[in-house]
PDB file of all heavy atoms in Angstrom:
ATOM      1  N   ASP A   1     -60.131 -39.047  -6.013  1.00  0.00           N
ATOM      2  CA  ASP A   1     -59.523 -39.045  -7.352  1.00  0.00           C
ATOM      3  C   ASP A   1     -58.857 -37.705  -7.640  1.00  0.00           C
ATOM      4  O   ASP A   1     -57.848 -37.647  -8.347  1.00  0.00           O
ATOM      5  CB  ASP A   1     -60.587 -39.329  -8.421  1.00  0.00           C
ATOM      6  CG  ASP A   1     -61.084 -40.761  -8.381  1.00  0.00           C
ATOM      7  OD1 ASP A   1     -60.378 -41.618  -7.831  1.00  0.00           O
ATOM      8  OD2 ASP A   1     -62.195 -41.022  -8.891  1.00  0.00           O
ATOM      9  N   LEU A   2     -59.410 -36.632  -7.076  1.00  0.00           N
ATOM     10  CA  LEU A   2     -58.783 -35.316  -7.224  1.00  0.00           C
ATOM     11  C   LEU A   2     -57.405 -35.293  -6.563  1.00  0.00           C
ATOM     12  O   LEU A   2     -56.469 -34.685  -7.083  1.00  0.00           O
ATOM     13  CB  LEU A   2     -59.656 -34.229  -6.598  1.00  0.00           C
ATOM     14  CG  LEU A   2     -60.922 -33.792  -7.325  1.00  0.00           C
ATOM     15  CD1 LEU A   2     -61.600 -32.678  -6.528  1.00  0.00           C
ATOM     16  CD2 LEU A   2     -60.604 -33.307  -8.722  1.00  0.00           C
ATOM     17  N   GLN A   3     -57.292 -35.934  -5.395  1.00  0.00           N
ATOM     18  CA  GLN A   3     -56.002 -35.986  -4.717  1.00  0.00           C
ATOM     19  C   GLN A   3     -54.970 -36.683  -5.589  1.00  0.00           C
ATOM     20  O   GLN A   3     -53.826 -36.216  -5.719  1.00  0.00           O
ATOM     21  CB  GLN A   3     -56.123 -36.713  -3.384  1.00  0.00           C
ATOM     22  CG  GLN A   3     -54.780 -36.889  -2.665  1.00  0.00           C
ATOM     23  CD  GLN A   3     -54.935 -37.384  -1.239  1.00  0.00           C
ATOM     24  OE1 GLN A   3     -55.769 -36.897  -0.491  1.00  0.00           O
ATOM     25  NE2 GLN A   3     -54.109 -38.355  -0.854  1.00  0.00           N
ATOM     26  N   ILE A   4     -55.357 -37.783  -6.190  1.00  0.00           N
ATOM     27  CA  ILE A   4     -54.432 -38.509  -7.071  1.00  0.00           C
ATOM     28  C   ILE A   4     -54.081 -37.644  -8.281  1.00  0.00           C
ATOM     29  O   ILE A   4     -52.923 -37.591  -8.700  1.00  0.00           O
ATOM     30  CB  ILE A   4     -55.059 -39.843  -7.509  1.00  0.00           C
ATOM     31  CG1 ILE A   4     -55.279 -40.747  -6.285  1.00  0.00           C
ATOM     32  CG2 ILE A   4     -54.166 -40.544  -8.535  1.00  0.00           C
ATOM     33  CD1 ILE A   4     -56.013 -42.035  -6.589  1.00  0.00           C
ATOM     34  N   ALA A   5     -55.067 -36.931  -8.826  1.00  0.00           N
ATOM     35  CA  ALA A   5     -54.825 -36.088  -9.999  1.00  0.00           C
ATOM     36  C   ALA A   5     -53.837 -34.971  -9.697  1.00  0.00           C
ATOM     37  O   ALA A   5     -52.914 -34.712 -10.484  1.00  0.00           O
ATOM     38  CB  ALA A   5     -56.145 -35.502 -10.508  1.00  0.00           C
ATOM     39  N   LEU A   6     -54.010 -34.302  -8.561  1.00  0.00           N
ATOM     40  CA  LEU A   6     -53.091 -33.195  -8.262  1.00  0.00           C
ATOM     41  C   LEU A   6     -51.704 -33.716  -7.921  1.00  0.00           C
ATOM     42  O   LEU A   6     -50.702 -33.067  -8.239  1.00  0.00           O
ATOM     43  CB  LEU A   6     -53.659 -32.306  -7.158  1.00  0.00           C
ATOM     44  CG  LEU A   6     -53.634 -32.776  -5.708  1.00  0.00           C
ATOM     45  CD1 LEU A   6     -52.332 -32.403  -5.013  1.00  0.00           C
ATOM     46  CD2 LEU A   6     -54.801 -32.171  -4.939  1.00  0.00           C
ATOM     47  N   ARG A   7     -51.625 -34.887  -7.306  1.00  0.00           N
ATOM     48  CA  ARG A   7     -50.307 -35.478  -7.026  1.00  0.00           C
ATOM     49  C   ARG A   7     -49.615 -35.903  -8.317  1.00  0.00           C
ATOM     50  O   ARG A   7     -48.399 -35.772  -8.461  1.00  0.00           O
ATOM     51  CB  ARG A   7     -50.439 -36.651  -6.066  1.00  0.00           C
ATOM     52  CG  ARG A   7     -50.755 -36.238  -4.618  1.00  0.00           C
ATOM     53  CD  ARG A   7     -50.559 -37.396  -3.663  1.00  0.00           C
ATOM     54  NE  ARG A   7     -49.220 -37.944  -3.827  1.00  0.00           N
ATOM     55  CZ  ARG A   7     -48.906 -39.220  -3.603  1.00  0.00           C
ATOM     56  NH1 ARG A   7     -49.826 -40.082  -3.231  1.00  0.00           N
ATOM     57  NH2 ARG A   7     -47.672 -39.640  -3.784  1.00  0.00           N
ATOM     58  N   LEU A   8     -50.383 -36.410  -9.267  1.00  0.00           N
ATOM     59  CA  LEU A   8     -49.805 -36.746 -10.568  1.00  0.00           C
ATOM     60  C   LEU A   8     -49.331 -35.488 -11.290  1.00  0.00           C
ATOM     61  O   LEU A   8     -48.303 -35.507 -11.976  1.00  0.00           O
ATOM     62  CB  LEU A   8     -50.824 -37.502 -11.422  1.00  0.00           C
ATOM     63  CG  LEU A   8     -51.142 -38.937 -11.008  1.00  0.00           C
ATOM     64  CD1 LEU A   8     -52.262 -39.505 -11.868  1.00  0.00           C
ATOM     65  CD2 LEU A   8     -49.909 -39.837 -11.091  1.00  0.00           C
ATOM     66  N   SER A   9     -50.064 -34.393 -11.122  1.00  0.00           N
ATOM     67  CA  SER A   9     -49.657 -33.125 -11.737  1.00  0.00           C
ATOM     68  C   SER A   9     -48.322 -32.656 -11.161  1.00  0.00           C
ATOM     69  O   SER A   9     -47.422 -32.243 -11.900  1.00  0.00           O
ATOM     70  CB  SER A   9     -50.725 -32.054 -11.513  1.00  0.00           C
ATOM     71  OG  SER A   9     -51.939 -32.408 -12.128  1.00  0.00           O
ATOM     72  N   LEU A  10     -48.188 -32.715  -9.827  1.00  0.00           N
ATOM     73  CA  LEU A  10     -46.933 -32.311  -9.189  1.00  0.00           C
ATOM     74  C   LEU A  10     -45.796 -33.233  -9.596  1.00  0.00           C
ATOM     75  O   LEU A  10     -44.676 -32.773  -9.876  1.00  0.00           O
ATOM     76  CB  LEU A  10     -47.106 -32.306  -7.670  1.00  0.00           C
ATOM     77  CG  LEU A  10     -45.881 -31.895  -6.853  1.00  0.00           C
ATOM     78  CD1 LEU A  10     -45.430 -30.479  -7.212  1.00  0.00           C
ATOM     79  CD2 LEU A  10     -46.175 -31.996  -5.354  1.00  0.00           C
ATOM     80  N   ALA A  11     -46.073 -34.531  -9.650  1.00  0.00           N
ATOM     81  CA  ALA A  11     -45.051 -35.488 -10.080  1.00  0.00           C
ATOM     82  C   ALA A  11     -44.608 -35.201 -11.510  1.00  0.00           C
ATOM     83  O   ALA A  11     -43.413 -35.307 -11.833  1.00  0.00           O
ATOM     84  CB  ALA A  11     -45.589 -36.913  -9.966  1.00  0.00           C
ATOM     85  N   THR A  12     -45.548 -34.834 -12.349  1.00  0.00           N
ATOM     86  CA  THR A  12     -45.221 -34.524 -13.744  1.00  0.00           C
ATOM     87  C   THR A  12     -44.336 -33.293 -13.840  1.00  0.00           C
ATOM     88  O   THR A  12     -43.355 -33.270 -14.608  1.00  0.00           O
ATOM     89  CB  THR A  12     -46.515 -34.308 -14.554  1.00  0.00           C
ATOM     90  OG1 THR A  12     -47.320 -35.486 -14.484  1.00  0.00           O
ATOM     91  CG2 THR A  12     -46.192 -33.998 -16.010  1.00  0.00           C
ATOM     92  N   LEU A  13     -44.647 -32.257 -13.066  1.00  0.00           N
ATOM     93  CA  LEU A  13     -43.819 -31.044 -13.076  1.00  0.00           C
ATOM     94  C   LEU A  13     -42.394 -31.359 -12.630  1.00  0.00           C
ATOM     95  O   LEU A  13     -41.421 -30.890 -13.232  1.00  0.00           O
ATOM     96  CB  LEU A  13     -44.445 -29.983 -12.169  1.00  0.00           C
ATOM     97  CG  LEU A  13     -45.776 -29.399 -12.630  1.00  0.00           C
ATOM     98  CD1 LEU A  13     -46.347 -28.485 -11.549  1.00  0.00           C
ATOM     99  CD2 LEU A  13     -45.610 -28.623 -13.938  1.00  0.00           C
ATOM    100  N   ASN A  14     -42.263 -32.155 -11.566  1.00  0.00           N
ATOM    101  CA  ASN A  14     -40.932 -32.533 -11.106  1.00  0.00           C
ATOM    102  C   ASN A  14     -40.221 -33.414 -12.119  1.00  0.00           C
ATOM    103  O   ASN A  14     -39.006 -33.299 -12.313  1.00  0.00           O
ATOM    104  CB  ASN A  14     -41.027 -33.244  -9.748  1.00  0.00           C
ATOM    105  CG  ASN A  14     -40.842 -32.294  -8.588  1.00  0.00           C
ATOM    106  OD1 ASN A  14     -39.837 -31.588  -8.503  1.00  0.00           O
ATOM    107  ND2 ASN A  14     -41.806 -32.261  -7.680  1.00  0.00           N
ATOM    108  N   ALA A  15     -40.967 -34.295 -12.774  1.00  0.00           N
ATOM    109  CA  ALA A  15     -40.359 -35.163 -13.795  1.00  0.00           C
ATOM    110  C   ALA A  15     -39.881 -34.336 -14.983  1.00  0.00           C
ATOM    111  O   ALA A  15     -38.791 -34.597 -15.527  1.00  0.00           O
ATOM    112  CB  ALA A  15     -41.366 -36.223 -14.243  1.00  0.00           C
ATOM    113  N   ILE A  16     -40.653 -33.343 -15.390  1.00  0.00           N
ATOM    114  CA  ILE A  16     -40.244 -32.483 -16.508  1.00  0.00           C
ATOM    115  C   ILE A  16     -38.951 -31.751 -16.165  1.00  0.00           C
ATOM    116  O   ILE A  16     -38.034 -31.643 -16.994  1.00  0.00           O
ATOM    117  CB  ILE A  16     -41.363 -31.486 -16.860  1.00  0.00           C
ATOM    118  CG1 ILE A  16     -42.545 -32.226 -17.497  1.00  0.00           C
ATOM    119  CG2 ILE A  16     -40.856 -30.392 -17.800  1.00  0.00           C
ATOM    120  CD1 ILE A  16     -43.775 -31.364 -17.691  1.00  0.00           C
ATOM    121  N   ALA A  17     -38.857 -31.251 -14.924  1.00  0.00           N
ATOM    122  CA  ALA A  17     -37.631 -30.572 -14.510  1.00  0.00           C
ATOM    123  C   ALA A  17     -36.444 -31.525 -14.521  1.00  0.00           C
ATOM    124  O   ALA A  17     -35.332 -31.161 -14.944  1.00  0.00           O
ATOM    125  CB  ALA A  17     -37.819 -29.966 -13.120  1.00  0.00           C
ATOM    126  N   LEU A  18     -36.647 -32.770 -14.088  1.00  0.00           N
ATOM    127  CA  LEU A  18     -35.571 -33.767 -14.123  1.00  0.00           C
ATOM    128  C   LEU A  18     -35.211 -34.149 -15.551  1.00  0.00           C
ATOM    129  O   LEU A  18     -34.045 -34.417 -15.862  1.00  0.00           O
ATOM    130  CB  LEU A  18     -35.985 -35.010 -13.334  1.00  0.00           C
ATOM    131  CG  LEU A  18     -35.647 -35.047 -11.849  1.00  0.00           C
ATOM    132  CD1 LEU A  18     -36.142 -36.352 -11.234  1.00  0.00           C
ATOM    133  CD2 LEU A  18     -34.151 -34.893 -11.613  1.00  0.00           C
ATOM    134  N   ILE A  19     -36.216 -34.194 -16.405  1.00  0.00           N
ATOM    135  CA  ILE A  19     -35.951 -34.490 -17.824  1.00  0.00           C
ATOM    136  C   ILE A  19     -35.071 -33.402 -18.431  1.00  0.00           C
ATOM    137  O   ILE A  19     -34.152 -33.692 -19.212  1.00  0.00           O
ATOM    138  CB  ILE A  19     -37.286 -34.630 -18.584  1.00  0.00           C
ATOM    139  CG1 ILE A  19     -37.970 -35.953 -18.203  1.00  0.00           C
ATOM    140  CG2 ILE A  19     -37.071 -34.561 -20.091  1.00  0.00           C
ATOM    141  CD1 ILE A  19     -39.411 -36.050 -18.671  1.00  0.00           C
ATOM    142  N   LEU A  20     -35.322 -32.161 -18.069  1.00  0.00           N
ATOM    143  CA  LEU A  20     -34.460 -31.069 -18.535  1.00  0.00           C
ATOM    144  C   LEU A  20     -33.032 -31.256 -18.036  1.00  0.00           C
ATOM    145  O   LEU A  20     -32.071 -31.044 -18.786  1.00  0.00           O
ATOM    146  CB  LEU A  20     -35.015 -29.722 -18.060  1.00  0.00           C
ATOM    147  CG  LEU A  20     -36.320 -29.249 -18.706  1.00  0.00           C
ATOM    148  CD1 LEU A  20     -36.802 -27.961 -18.050  1.00  0.00           C
ATOM    149  CD2 LEU A  20     -36.132 -29.040 -20.208  1.00  0.00           C
ATOM    150  N   VAL A  21     -32.887 -31.665 -16.779  1.00  0.00           N
ATOM    151  CA  VAL A  21     -31.544 -31.933 -16.250  1.00  0.00           C
ATOM    152  C   VAL A  21     -30.889 -33.058 -17.036  1.00  0.00           C
ATOM    153  O   VAL A  21     -29.707 -32.976 -17.397  1.00  0.00           O
ATOM    154  CB  VAL A  21     -31.621 -32.294 -14.746  1.00  0.00           C
ATOM    155  CG1 VAL A  21     -30.248 -32.737 -14.228  1.00  0.00           C
ATOM    156  CG2 VAL A  21     -32.118 -31.105 -13.933  1.00  0.00           C
ATOM    157  N   ARG A  22     -31.638 -34.117 -17.317  1.00  0.00           N
ATOM    158  CA  ARG A  22     -31.073 -35.233 -18.084  1.00  0.00           C
ATOM    159  C   ARG A  22     -30.597 -34.775 -19.461  1.00  0.00           C
ATOM    160  O   ARG A  22     -29.538 -35.191 -19.945  1.00  0.00           O
ATOM    161  CB  ARG A  22     -32.107 -36.355 -18.241  1.00  0.00           C
ATOM    162  CG  ARG A  22     -31.509 -37.606 -18.895  1.00  0.00           C
ATOM    163  CD  ARG A  22     -32.541 -38.456 -19.577  1.00  0.00           C
ATOM    164  NE  ARG A  22     -33.082 -37.841 -20.785  1.00  0.00           N
ATOM    165  CZ  ARG A  22     -32.466 -37.814 -21.965  1.00  0.00           C
ATOM    166  NH1 ARG A  22     -31.250 -38.320 -22.116  1.00  0.00           N
ATOM    167  NH2 ARG A  22     -33.045 -37.235 -23.008  1.00  0.00           N
ATOM    168  N   ARG A  23     -31.360 -33.915 -20.095  1.00  0.00           N
ATOM    169  CA  ARG A  23     -30.968 -33.434 -21.422  1.00  0.00           C
ATOM    170  C   ARG A  23     -29.746 -32.528 -21.346  1.00  0.00           C
ATOM    171  O   ARG A  23     -28.909 -32.533 -22.259  1.00  0.00           O
ATOM    172  CB  ARG A  23     -32.149 -32.717 -22.078  1.00  0.00           C
ATOM    173  CG  ARG A  23     -33.306 -33.675 -22.346  1.00  0.00           C
ATOM    174  CD  ARG A  23     -34.439 -33.060 -23.136  1.00  0.00           C
ATOM    175  NE  ARG A  23     -35.487 -34.034 -23.401  1.00  0.00           N
ATOM    176  CZ  ARG A  23     -36.532 -33.826 -24.170  1.00  0.00           C
ATOM    177  NH1 ARG A  23     -36.682 -32.650 -24.771  1.00  0.00           N
ATOM    178  NH2 ARG A  23     -37.438 -34.773 -24.363  1.00  0.00           N
ATOM    179  N   ALA A  24     -29.630 -31.780 -20.250  1.00  0.00           N
ATOM    180  CA  ALA A  24     -28.413 -30.982 -20.055  1.00  0.00           C
ATOM    181  C   ALA A  24     -27.212 -31.893 -19.853  1.00  0.00           C
ATOM    182  O   ALA A  24     -26.115 -31.624 -20.374  1.00  0.00           O
ATOM    183  CB  ALA A  24     -28.586 -30.052 -18.858  1.00  0.00           C
ATOM    184  N   VAL A  25     -27.406 -32.976 -19.120  1.00  0.00           N
ATOM    185  CA  VAL A  25     -26.331 -33.956 -18.919  1.00  0.00           C
ATOM    186  C   VAL A  25     -25.924 -34.573 -20.247  1.00  0.00           C
ATOM    187  O   VAL A  25     -24.729 -34.779 -20.533  1.00  0.00           O
ATOM    188  CB  VAL A  25     -26.779 -35.053 -17.930  1.00  0.00           C
ATOM    189  CG1 VAL A  25     -25.744 -36.167 -17.842  1.00  0.00           C
ATOM    190  CG2 VAL A  25     -27.017 -34.460 -16.547  1.00  0.00           C
ATOM    191  N   SER A  26     -26.909 -34.871 -21.088  1.00  0.00           N
ATOM    192  CA  SER A  26     -26.621 -35.453 -22.404  1.00  0.00           C
ATOM    193  C   SER A  26     -25.750 -34.520 -23.239  1.00  0.00           C
ATOM    194  O   SER A  26     -24.818 -34.956 -23.919  1.00  0.00           O
ATOM    195  CB  SER A  26     -27.939 -35.747 -23.126  1.00  0.00           C
ATOM    196  OG  SER A  26     -27.701 -36.311 -24.398  1.00  0.00           O
ATOM    197  N   LYS A  27     -26.045 -33.242 -23.174  1.00  0.00           N
ATOM    198  CA  LYS A  27     -25.283 -32.270 -23.967  1.00  0.00           C
ATOM    199  C   LYS A  27     -23.879 -32.055 -23.422  1.00  0.00           C
ATOM    200  O   LYS A  27     -22.922 -31.946 -24.193  1.00  0.00           O
ATOM    201  CB  LYS A  27     -26.048 -30.938 -23.986  1.00  0.00           C
ATOM    202  CG  LYS A  27     -25.464 -29.903 -24.934  1.00  0.00           C
ATOM    203  CD  LYS A  27     -26.381 -28.702 -25.048  1.00  0.00           C
ATOM    204  CE  LYS A  27     -25.846 -27.675 -26.039  1.00  0.00           C
ATOM    205  NZ  LYS A  27     -26.763 -26.517 -26.177  1.00  0.00           N
ATOM    206  N   ARG A  28     -23.744 -32.052 -22.094  1.00  0.00           N
ATOM    207  CA  ARG A  28     -22.447 -31.730 -21.499  1.00  0.00           C
ATOM    208  C   ARG A  28     -21.566 -32.960 -21.290  1.00  0.00           C
ATOM    209  O   ARG A  28     -20.349 -32.891 -21.437  1.00  0.00           O
ATOM    210  CB  ARG A  28     -22.656 -31.003 -20.165  1.00  0.00           C
ATOM    211  CG  ARG A  28     -21.342 -30.583 -19.499  1.00  0.00           C
ATOM    212  CD  ARG A  28     -21.492 -29.300 -18.766  1.00  0.00           C
ATOM    213  NE  ARG A  28     -20.247 -28.858 -18.125  1.00  0.00           N
ATOM    214  CZ  ARG A  28     -19.259 -28.226 -18.752  1.00  0.00           C
ATOM    215  NH1 ARG A  28     -19.353 -27.972 -20.047  1.00  0.00           N
ATOM    216  NH2 ARG A  28     -18.181 -27.845 -18.093  1.00  0.00           N
ATOM    217  N   PHE A  29     -22.191 -34.105 -20.923  1.00  0.00           N
ATOM    218  CA  PHE A  29     -21.394 -35.285 -20.576  1.00  0.00           C
ATOM    219  C   PHE A  29     -21.622 -36.473 -21.519  1.00  0.00           C
ATOM    220  O   PHE A  29     -20.960 -37.498 -21.368  1.00  0.00           O
ATOM    221  CB  PHE A  29     -21.705 -35.730 -19.143  1.00  0.00           C
ATOM    222  CG  PHE A  29     -21.346 -34.706 -18.107  1.00  0.00           C
ATOM    223  CD1 PHE A  29     -22.313 -33.854 -17.599  1.00  0.00           C
ATOM    224  CD2 PHE A  29     -20.054 -34.588 -17.640  1.00  0.00           C
ATOM    225  CE1 PHE A  29     -21.995 -32.904 -16.638  1.00  0.00           C
ATOM    226  CE2 PHE A  29     -19.722 -33.644 -16.680  1.00  0.00           C
ATOM    227  CZ  PHE A  29     -20.697 -32.794 -16.180  1.00  0.00           C
ATOM    228  N   GLY A  30     -22.545 -36.336 -22.451  1.00  0.00           N
ATOM    229  CA  GLY A  30     -22.779 -37.419 -23.392  1.00  0.00           C
ATOM    230  C   GLY A  30     -24.068 -38.181 -23.126  1.00  0.00           C
ATOM    231  O   GLY A  30     -24.587 -38.198 -21.999  1.00  0.00           O
ATOM    232  N   ARG A  31     -24.586 -38.832 -24.181  1.00  0.00           N
ATOM    233  CA  ARG A  31     -25.866 -39.520 -24.079  1.00  0.00           C
ATOM    234  C   ARG A  31     -25.839 -40.661 -23.075  1.00  0.00           C
ATOM    235  O   ARG A  31     -26.761 -40.836 -22.287  1.00  0.00           O
ATOM    236  CB  ARG A  31     -26.286 -40.064 -25.451  1.00  0.00           C
ATOM    237  CG  ARG A  31     -26.824 -39.011 -26.401  1.00  0.00           C
ATOM    238  CD  ARG A  31     -27.381 -39.655 -27.640  1.00  0.00           C
ATOM    239  NE  ARG A  31     -26.370 -40.495 -28.299  1.00  0.00           N
ATOM    240  CZ  ARG A  31     -26.635 -41.346 -29.284  1.00  0.00           C
ATOM    241  NH1 ARG A  31     -27.889 -41.490 -29.701  1.00  0.00           N
ATOM    242  NH2 ARG A  31     -25.674 -42.047 -29.849  1.00  0.00           N
ATOM    243  N   ARG A  32     -24.769 -41.460 -23.100  1.00  0.00           N
ATOM    244  CA  ARG A  32     -24.709 -42.614 -22.193  1.00  0.00           C
ATOM    245  C   ARG A  32     -24.718 -42.164 -20.731  1.00  0.00           C
ATOM    246  O   ARG A  32     -25.344 -42.795 -19.882  1.00  0.00           O
ATOM    247  CB  ARG A  32     -23.474 -43.448 -22.489  1.00  0.00           C
ATOM    248  CG  ARG A  32     -23.553 -44.232 -23.797  1.00  0.00           C
ATOM    249  CD  ARG A  32     -22.330 -45.117 -23.970  1.00  0.00           C
ATOM    250  NE  ARG A  32     -22.196 -46.065 -22.877  1.00  0.00           N
ATOM    251  CZ  ARG A  32     -21.060 -46.693 -22.567  1.00  0.00           C
ATOM    252  NH1 ARG A  32     -19.963 -46.430 -23.255  1.00  0.00           N
ATOM    253  NH2 ARG A  32     -21.020 -47.552 -21.574  1.00  0.00           N
ATOM    254  N   THR A  33     -24.034 -41.087 -20.439  1.00  0.00           N
ATOM    255  CA  THR A  33     -24.043 -40.567 -19.069  1.00  0.00           C
ATOM    256  C   THR A  33     -25.449 -40.126 -18.684  1.00  0.00           C
ATOM    257  O   THR A  33     -25.899 -40.357 -17.548  1.00  0.00           O
ATOM    258  CB  THR A  33     -23.070 -39.388 -18.929  1.00  0.00           C
ATOM    259  OG1 THR A  33     -21.773 -39.799 -19.338  1.00  0.00           O
ATOM    260  CG2 THR A  33     -23.007 -38.892 -17.486  1.00  0.00           C
ATOM    261  N   SER A  34     -26.176 -39.502 -19.615  1.00  0.00           N
ATOM    262  CA  SER A  34     -27.541 -39.048 -19.308  1.00  0.00           C
ATOM    263  C   SER A  34     -28.476 -40.231 -19.101  1.00  0.00           C
ATOM    264  O   SER A  34     -29.376 -40.176 -18.251  1.00  0.00           O
ATOM    265  CB  SER A  34     -28.061 -38.147 -20.431  1.00  0.00           C
ATOM    266  OG  SER A  34     -28.413 -38.882 -21.585  1.00  0.00           O
ATOM    267  N   TRP A  35     -28.277 -41.313 -19.846  1.00  0.00           N
ATOM    268  CA  TRP A  35     -29.097 -42.507 -19.643  1.00  0.00           C
ATOM    269  C   TRP A  35     -28.830 -43.129 -18.277  1.00  0.00           C
ATOM    270  O   TRP A  35     -29.755 -43.548 -17.586  1.00  0.00           O
ATOM    271  CB  TRP A  35     -28.826 -43.528 -20.747  1.00  0.00           C
ATOM    272  CG  TRP A  35     -29.193 -43.061 -22.123  1.00  0.00           C
ATOM    273  CD1 TRP A  35     -29.991 -42.005 -22.454  1.00  0.00           C
ATOM    274  CD2 TRP A  35     -28.746 -43.618 -23.367  1.00  0.00           C
ATOM    275  NE1 TRP A  35     -30.077 -41.862 -23.816  1.00  0.00           N
ATOM    276  CE2 TRP A  35     -29.331 -42.843 -24.414  1.00  0.00           C
ATOM    277  CE3 TRP A  35     -27.930 -44.678 -23.718  1.00  0.00           C
ATOM    278  CZ2 TRP A  35     -29.108 -43.110 -25.753  1.00  0.00           C
ATOM    279  CZ3 TRP A  35     -27.707 -44.960 -25.065  1.00  0.00           C
ATOM    280  CH2 TRP A  35     -28.291 -44.180 -26.071  1.00  0.00           C
ATOM    281  N   LEU A  36     -27.559 -43.172 -17.917  1.00  0.00           N
ATOM    282  CA  LEU A  36     -27.198 -43.712 -16.604  1.00  0.00           C
ATOM    283  C   LEU A  36     -27.729 -42.823 -15.485  1.00  0.00           C
ATOM    284  O   LEU A  36     -28.129 -43.316 -14.426  1.00  0.00           O
ATOM    285  CB  LEU A  36     -25.680 -43.864 -16.495  1.00  0.00           C
ATOM    286  CG  LEU A  36     -25.072 -44.973 -17.364  1.00  0.00           C
ATOM    287  CD1 LEU A  36     -23.548 -44.850 -17.418  1.00  0.00           C
ATOM    288  CD2 LEU A  36     -25.482 -46.347 -16.832  1.00  0.00           C
TER     289      LEU A  36
END
């Protein structure tokens, strides 16, 4: 269960970084582009 927990932690960190990229896309290219 610890292995799953640490992998979920790493996945969350990578997802947060991608979410930041998506929000940058929303600001620069528009909301619909960020959703796509």
